Amino acid sequence: MSDFHALIIGGGQSGLAGAQALRARGLRPVVLEAGPEAVGSWPSYYDSLTLFTPARFSSLPGLPCGGDPDRYPTRDEHIAYLRRYSRLLDVDIRTGNRVIEVSTTPEGFAAHLADGQVVHAPSVVAATGYFGRPHHPELPGLDSFPGTVLHSADYRRPDDWAGRRVIVVGAGNSAVQIAVELADHAVVTLATRGNIRWAPQRVLGRDVHFWIRALGVDRIPASRGVRERAQPPTLDLAGFRKAVAAGRPDHRRIFDRVEGEEVIWPNGARERVDMILLATGYRPDFGYLRGLGALDSRGAPRITSGWSATHRRLAYLGVGNQRTLGSDSIVGVGADARAMARRMSTSLGLRRPTLLGR
């Protein structure tokens, strides 16, 4: 018999929110985190990263972010917040425990760890999310490019590329933020397949997330199971749109192909470049579930409203559009975690929650 009600795989913000929600209903989860601490992927992001949500909307259940509620927390602030959150949880958190496979047992599930350990529980919460496997798109000639090809997951600071010719591929928030800061140090082009879909960061003096919350947009349910993560609009944070319009960075349609050290632009012009930075997002990181038949051919979970379509006690947290538009962000994961915990406790026969103080 297992000592735990649930195996939570992943100790980032989604896993921590799930652990808090399960514990608040009297369940005993164990968090299995591959890294050295329970802060998710945040330490691997670039140095200047700031959250695109104000502090008032950047908290997990039970612990306010603190400080000025209208500020945009930095990467390091958010890491410190997650460290504090994990310390306050009355939960068994096991770092340095990489799950390589999940299998079924007569009693539920078994998590097989890289060091040979096996941990059992009647239920599983997959909380490794969409930010563990950087996506490298197939671009003609890129494989033979002799310069540097870097994903935004491996980018750290702009002064490393001072004076160089750089192309940033991507149209999302991170692509724009990186391209704008690089443009103060290097000659930079932001290359996109189409126009950038800008959205204002502030409307009528309020951050757009205030209006999303006030109008209930964050509660609109996803209409179907997760298929593709839609590219959200790019927020005009800190004057990004003005900088791009001024040519810092230059914005062009993506190149047709790469030949040697040169890129060939749609108008036929050729240009030598030093570095191509791919700010092209991430793909699902659920390979440990493949043996269950829980994933489709692309590695995405077969999922409906945050629950596996193939296994009754397999839940997900941190997956885009799993329940609402904000399911893959700190804005939405708290509500998703509470909904998961309610259903999980019922599934395990624990219908009356035991609310625990912090």
Side-chain angles (χ1 to χ4, degrees):
M1 182 176 179
S2 173
D3 293 332
F4 307 107
H5 290 109
L7 307 172
I8 299 180
I9 304 175
Q13 60 195 31
S14 298
L16 295 177
Q20 190 273 348
L22 289 171
R23 198 72 185 97
R25 300 191 73 85
L27 278 70
R28 297 184 307 278
V30 58
V31 177
L32 302 173
E33 165 58 36
E37 55 181 338
V39 293
S41 301
W42 287 93
S44 66
Y45 297 149
Y46 53 99
D47 291 357
S48 65
L49 175 66
T50 59
L51 274 66
F52 301 107
T53 51
R56 71 171 71 248
F57 301 117
S58 300
S59 301
L60 295 175
L63 183 65
C65 192
D68 180 359
D70 291 321
R71 80 185 193 286
Y72 297 92
T74 66
R75 179 200 66 177
D76 291 346
E77 284 182 288
H78 193 56
I79 291 170
Y81 170 79
L82 293 176
R83 286 174 179 149
R84 190 163 68 252
Y85 194 88
S86 64
R87 286 196 301 267
L88 292 173
L89 285 179
D90 180 23
V91 171
D92 188 349
I93 299 176
R94 302 183 181 183
T95 57
N97 280 248
R98 180 176 296 279
V99 176
I100 57 174
E101 182 184 6
V102 174
S103 62
T104 57
T105 70
E107 294 77 28
F109 298 91
H112 303 262
L113 308 183
D115 64 2
Q117 294 184 71
V118 181
V119 187
H120 297 265
S123 62
V124 169
V125 180
T128 46
Y130 265 65
F131 299 95
R133 187 157 64 95
H135 174 54
H136 291 76
E138 294 184 6
L139 299 174
L142 187 62
D143 289 345
S144 61
F145 178 60
T148 300
V149 178
L150 200 66
H151 192 277
S152 57
D154 300 309
Y155 168 79
R156 291 294 174 270
R157 59 192 65 85
D159 49 345
D160 292 340
W161 301 97
R164 312 293 284 279
R165 180 67 177 101
V166 177
I167 296 175
V168 177
V169 177
N173 289 311
S174 293
V176 171
Q177 184 171 352
I178 290 171
V180 168
E181 76 164 13
L182 271 171
D184 287 336
H185 300 262
V187 180
V188 182
T189 292
L190 179 63
T192 65
R193 295 191 183 279
N195 296 326
I196 300 173
R197 294 194 305 125
W198 294 104
Q201 182 71 38
R202 303 186 72 81
V203 177
L204 299 178
R206 298 269 195 171
D207 182 271
V208 67
H209 290 90
F210 168 85
W211 298 108
I212 289 173
R213 180 71 57 86
L215 298 174
V217 175
D218 60 328
R219 297 188 296 275
I220 296 175
S223 60
R224 59 183 181 179
V226 176
R227 297 185 185 277
E228 294 285 347
R229 287 183 76 243
Q231 173 67 51
T234 301
L235 295 175
D236 185 17
L237 183 66
F240 290 163
R241 186 172 189 174
K242 184 177 180 180
V244 172
R248 296 186 59 82
D250 162 45
H251 177 218
R252 306 183 199 178
R253 293 296 177 95
I254 194 168
F255 47 83
D256 287 340
R257 63 190 184 280
V258 179
E259 290 185 359
E261 297 180 332
E262 297 180 323
V263 298
I264 314 301
W265 296 104
N267 63 1
R270 308 174 71 97
E271 188 175 10
R272 182 189 175 280
V273 298
D274 298 303
M275 194 255 281
I276 298 174
L277 191 151
L278 304 173
T280 46
Y282 298 79
R283 291 295 181 266
D285 190 24
F286 300 115
Y288 51 86
L289 299 176
R290 192 169 299 282
L292 297 180
L295 309 178
D296 65 19
S297 60
R298 297 171 294 111
R302 304 179 189 275
I303 184 174
T304 302
S305 298
W307 288 85
S308 172
T310 60
H311 293 75
R312 184 167 64 94
R313 289 179 179 165
L314 170 58
Y316 295 85
L317 285 174
V319 178
N321 295 334
Q322 70 172 51
R323 291 185 68 250
T324 67
L325 294 176
S327 287
D328 61 348
S329 72
I330 199 166
V331 175
V333 72
D336 283 6
R338 288 190 291 269
M340 177 276 295
R342 285 194 299 270
R343 179 166 165 176
M344 189 74 79
S345 62
T346 299
S347 175
L348 294 171
L350 303 173
R351 296 180 181 275
R352 290 187 177 181
T354 302
L355 298 178
L356 302 178
R358 297 184 62 85

